[in-house]
Amino acid sequence: MMKKLFTALICIALIAAMGVTSFAAGPHLINITRPEGEEESTFKKSYVICGNTANEGITVELSVYDNDLGDYVPYANTEGETSWSIGSSGMFMKEVNLKYTGANKIQVVAYKNSDTENRQVEKFTIILLKEDLKSKLVNGAMNFKDIFKSW
């Protein structure tokens, strides 16, 4: 009896979870391939966002979070463009300059060129690490190697 009850509760939980996930997902227009998760760290002052799509006619917009304004603002490339159409290759790459040491929030919005209402929104945090941390890690690794050389 307990085994059946436990099995029924697990089935109900799985069904409920699948319903919530599919409801919250919205349109899936692009796959983000970099960053690989919701948060990544780097020592470089710029970061390349990469992705792909099997859909045609997709536009991508990048926004960065402005700590002073408390909101996302459109990110313009060197030509002043804030949105880009994905070409026939289905791939896109955009370099973003990281403004803050620490957390830099980036938002990627994708939509079909003719339908700006049904949008896919992805948010990421890229952490710009301090250079002195890099030198400490490198020096620490060197010291660690020296320990083994003495054996």
Side-chain angles (χ1 to χ4, degrees), residues 28-31 51-56 58 86-87 89-92:
H28 187 77
L29 303 171
I30 60 173
N31 297 309
N52 58 53
T53 183
N55 301 307
E56 291 184 17
I58 301 296
I86 299 177
S89 70
M91 298 186 295
F92 68 93

Side-chain angles (χ1 to χ4, degrees), residues 32-149:
I32 304 293
T33 57
R34 186 166 188 249
E36 292 181 12
E38 291 181 14
E39 185 174 290
E40 281 196 16
S41 300
T42 184
F43 289 104
K44 297 181 180 181
K45 294 189 181 207
S46 65
Y47 189 86
V48 178
I49 307 288
C50 302
N52 58 53
T53 183
N55 301 307
E56 291 184 17
I58 301 296
T59 298
V60 174
E61 294 178 355
L62 289 179
S63 301
V64 293
Y65 192 82
D66 187 310
N67 292 342
D68 296 330
L69 297 175
D71 200 5
Y72 286 91
V73 296
Y75 182 81
N77 65 9
T78 54
E79 289 82 36
E81 300 168 316
T82 58
S83 64
W84 305 271
S85 293
I86 299 177
S88 59
S89 70
M91 298 186 295
F92 68 93
M93 295 173 34
K94 293 297 171 195
E95 185 173 11
V96 177
N97 293 320
L98 303 176
K99 184 175 180 179
Y100 306 107
T101 299
N104 290 269
K105 297 178 185 178
I106 299 171
Q107 177 177 269
V108 180
V109 178
Y111 53 88
K112 286 200 176 254
N113 292 344
S114 59
D115 184 10
T116 58
E117 294 296 317
N118 296 310
R119 306 176 325 156
Q120 177 184 347
V121 178
E122 303 286 341
K123 294 183 180 182
F124 307 98
T125 301
I126 307 302
I127 299 171
L128 177 59
L129 300 171
K130 294 181 181 180
E131 281 295 320
D132 65 334
L133 176 61
K134 182 178 180 180
S135 63
K136 286 178 184 177
L137 289 172
V138 169
N139 291 334
M142 294 299 193
N143 293 336
F144 189 71
K145 287 180 184 178
D146 291 339
I147 293 170
F148 285 108
K149 284 182 183 177

